[in-house]
Amino acid sequence: MNADDWLRAFAAELHQRRVGGDVARHVVAEAATHLREGGGDPWLVFGAPQAYAAAIVESIGTAPGPRPGPVRLHARGITKRYGRQVVLRDASLTVRAGQIAAVVGANGCGKSTFLRICAGLVSPDAGEVTVAGRLSYCPQQGGTADFLLPDEHFVLVGAGQGVPRVPARRAGRAAARQLGWDAGNAALARHLSGGTRQKLNLTMSTLTQPDVLLLDEPYQGFDQGSYVNLWDQLTRLRDEGRAIVVVTHLLNQLDRVDVVLDLPPAHQGGRS
Amino acid sequence: MNRLVTVAEMTLRELTRRRGVLLLLLLMPLTFWLIRRDSYVGQSVRALLLGISWAVSTAALFATSAARELEPRLRLAGYRPHHLYIGRMLGLWGLGLVISVPFFLLTVIDANNLRYGGIAVAMLCCVAVAAPFGMLIGALLPRELEGTLLLLTVVAMQMLLDPADAATKLTPFWSSREIGTWAVDHTDDGYLTRGLLHGLVVTVLLIVTVAGVFAVRLRQRRHLHHVPIA
């Protein structure tokens, strides 16, 4: 990791620890100046980015997180059977503006089914979902067109909202950059790696400026840096007042979420 | 309107990038033409028309199957079902017209004493019917292989059925055969009228059915209630 990478990781850590934007920029600029003038390996000068960010937070404090707003997603009494298998039984979840909710559980407990029901793609056998505002959904896989360029995906999604193609392309590239991906020079979707394709998937779902964002294991194929960028972006979206639901089975992410829905295993097997 | 044009444009872009598949699809009408070329031009023209129908309907099937996962999220992004199926159909009709031009020129250059206007109209009928027909199969059957096999069955049936058999009128591409007969054998105008009417009715029926299938598949589910942000 060179100095630039270290500074990027440091900035991401500050952001995740809710250090205010101006303060974080100032601290990173100071560290950069110190490295430029004094030289040396940032790992020797400052230590690990996480540890240094934690030390900074301890000394200057953090910006108070925005208070959760009104309810954006309310799913109640969701029950779903596939044949005789009960995949979901009376599952409920309420997510407010400015909150991240995690849907967790073992394989086959119906996490993805629950999210697809919330997105209105699958009908439940019982229960209702109320969504306030615009809804967007990022599937676990698929959801992109193999023979289109990322820019063309942005234009296609943008046109749904009546956004002209140039602003749609610009907004897509900017959103992709938040995930550390340069979408402007990318190849057809079918030639993208699994992780990059998932970044395209994720970018498409944030492009419509949704009030409620449903993400089904959005980090599949991500490397460590992209994973950090993802949570950085989710935190930013939360702070902007979006309600986010993430299906996940990685429990170490849970310290960054506000609400957890732990689904019990399905009866007689099931599907995820 | 912008949504329709965008979906049509992206459909065309996707299909024109599938060059290998497109070339193989074009090979069928060309082969049909060449095989019958020396024996009887009428059979050659009819086979060519059937080949074009096959090519366009298969392209429609592939386009519809490929968009199966994408369309629900486009629906959430602000598209209505009719934007998606009409836009895709427009793109496929455009592609069908582009495919037909070289084959039409082939008949003009390689065959004499034909009503060329009739050949052009028959090709238009093929394209008009084939796009919604392929889309319908693609919407009903989830996998491309199953859809391709069904298309193959329909085309083979169309080719093998006795023209005198009343059941041929129930096949989707009968119109092009009837107009082709008018153009090749210089029969009375009844052939042209019947063919045009059949083509129109089948196209409208297929579009209505495609609309119904898409409306059901991409419907707003009853359990989901949207409320505006106060």
Side-chain angles (χ1 to χ4, degrees):
Chain A
M1 185 185 273
N2 61 26
D4 287 341
D5 290 338
W6 189 95
L7 287 167
R8 248 194 307 277
F10 177 52
E13 288 295 332
L14 289 175
H15 188 81
Q16 277 155 21
R17 287 171 165 78
R18 290 185 183 276
V19 175
D22 287 342
V23 177
R25 267 191 294 279
H26 180 70
V27 171
V28 173
E30 268 194 356
T33 307
H34 187 92
L35 286 173
R36 196 171 51 246
E37 290 175 355
D41 184 347
W43 283 80
L44 297 174
V45 178
F46 297 115
Q50 296 87 343
Y52 190 55
I56 292 288
V57 167
E58 214 173 291
S59 63
I60 65 172
T62 58
R67 294 174 63 185
V71 172
R72 290 279 184 257
L73 178 106
H74 184 40
R76 54 198 170 277
I78 302 295
T79 298
K80 179 70 183 174
R81 297 181 192 86
Y82 286 109
R84 295 169 68 182
Q85 291 178 353
V86 181
V87 180
L88 291 166
R89 189 189 293 278
D90 203 23
S92 296
L93 176 69
T94 301
V95 191
R96 294 174 172 275
Q99 283 189 324
I100 299 178
V103 180
V104 300
N107 289 339
C109 71
K111 300 188 292 291
S112 294
T113 302
F114 180 78
L115 207 68
R116 289 174 67 81
I117 288 171
C118 288
L121 305 178
V122 174
S123 295
D125 292 300
E128 287 189 330
V129 178
T130 305
V131 171
R134 190 176 292 153
L135 177 70
S136 187
Y137 168 70
C138 177
Q140 194 174 0
Q141 54 193 7
T144 56
D146 279 354
F147 289 85
L148 290 183
L149 296 166
D151 273 353
E152 291 162 350
H153 283 84
F154 304 150
V155 169
L156 189 58
V157 172
Q161 300 290 328
V163 180
R165 54 187 61 209
V166 173
R169 207 177 291 134
R170 199 182 304 131
R173 289 182 184 184
R177 265 196 299 276
Q178 305 277 4
L179 293 169
W181 174 43
D182 178 12
N185 299 318
L188 292 176
R190 72 190 187 117
H191 295 311
L192 299 177
S193 69
T196 310
R197 200 171 171 132
Q198 196 57 15
K199 287 178 187 173
L200 170 61
N201 222 342
L202 191 62
T203 304
M204 287 168 71
S205 58
T206 56
L207 203 55
T208 53
Q209 302 291 317
D211 300 293
V212 179
L213 179 58
L214 307 175
L215 307 172
D216 193 352
E217 299 198 33
Y219 44 76
Q220 290 207 359
F222 278 16
D223 54 29
Q224 181 62 27
S226 303
Y227 182 79
V228 170
N229 286 338
L230 165 71
W231 279 98
D232 191 22
Q233 189 170 6
L234 293 187
T235 310
R236 193 162 36 241
L237 290 168
R238 171 177 64 184
D239 293 348
E240 287 172 7
R242 322 266 179 215
I244 301 165
V245 183
V246 188
V247 163
T248 180
H249 58 259
L250 295 180
L251 294 177
N252 64 344
Q253 294 157 8
L254 295 187
D255 57 350
R256 299 184 200 173
V257 304
D258 307 290
V259 181
V260 177
L261 172 64
D262 193 353
L263 294 173
H267 297 266
Q268 299 177 28
R271 59 182 75 181
S272 68
Chain B
M1 191 63 189
N2 183 41
R3 294 183 182 116
L4 285 179
V5 173
T6 306
V7 174
E9 178 198 332
M10 295 307 164
T11 302
L12 269 174
R13 283 179 185 269
E14 279 190 87
L15 287 169
T16 49
R17 282 171 186 154
R18 291 183 161 206
R19 292 192 193 95
V21 174
L22 269 183
L23 281 175
L24 287 172
L25 287 177
L26 292 175
L27 196 61
M28 191 167 183
L30 185 63
T31 310
F32 279 10
W33 173 265
L34 292 176
I35 285 174
R36 290 291 182 178
R37 182 175 172 273
D38 294 330
S39 55
Y40 176 51
V41 72
Q43 284 188 19
S44 198
V45 167
R46 286 180 199 114
L48 177 67
L49 293 172
L50 210 48
I52 291 172
S53 304
W54 156 262
V56 176
S57 50
T58 309
L61 166 71
F62 286 170
T64 309
S65 298
R68 186 174 277 271
E69 294 290 322
L70 182 62
E71 276 167 349
R73 72 185 309 181
L74 289 180
R75 181 88 172 84
L76 288 176
Y79 287 88
R80 306 281 298 276
H82 72 270
H83 293 133
L84 298 171
Y85 66 79
I86 294 178
R88 199 165 305 289
M89 216 176 286
L90 289 174
L92 287 160
W93 278 332
L95 178 81
L97 290 178
V98 172
I99 285 176
S100 301
V101 169
F103 288 116
F104 175 69
L105 293 176
L106 182 66
T107 61
V108 171
I109 294 165
D110 202 37
N112 298 318
N113 196 27
L114 300 178
R115 286 169 164 162
Y116 295 109
I119 301 289
V121 172
M123 285 183 178
L124 283 178
C125 272
C126 290
V127 172
V129 172
F133 184 60
M135 282 180 68
L136 181 61
I137 292 178
L140 291 175
L141 297 178
R143 280 173 283 274
E144 285 181 358
L145 178 62
E146 294 163 356
T148 310
L149 290 174
L150 182 60
L151 272 180
L152 201 59
T153 307
V154 171
V155 171
M157 187 175 70
Q158 184 97 46
M159 186 176 269
L160 297 174
L161 270 177
D162 181 356
D165 192 331
T168 54
K169 289 181 185 170
L170 298 176
T171 53
F173 302 114
W174 183 77
S175 55
S176 60
R177 183 185 183 98
E178 201 73 349
I179 300 171
T181 302
W182 179 79
V184 173
D185 299 331
H186 297 269
T187 52
D188 65 81
D189 288 353
Y191 280 80
L192 177 64
T193 311
R194 280 194 300 276
L196 282 173
L197 190 64
H198 186 273
L200 186 68
V201 169
V202 171
T203 304
V204 170
L205 275 178
L206 285 169
I207 291 173
V208 169
T209 314
V210 166
V213 171
F214 270 73
V216 170
R217 212 177 69 186
L218 299 172
R219 71 189 180 280
Q220 165 101 45
R221 310 265 173 171
R222 273 185 296 183
H223 74 277
L224 183 62
H225 309 287
H226 286 279
V227 293
I229 292 179

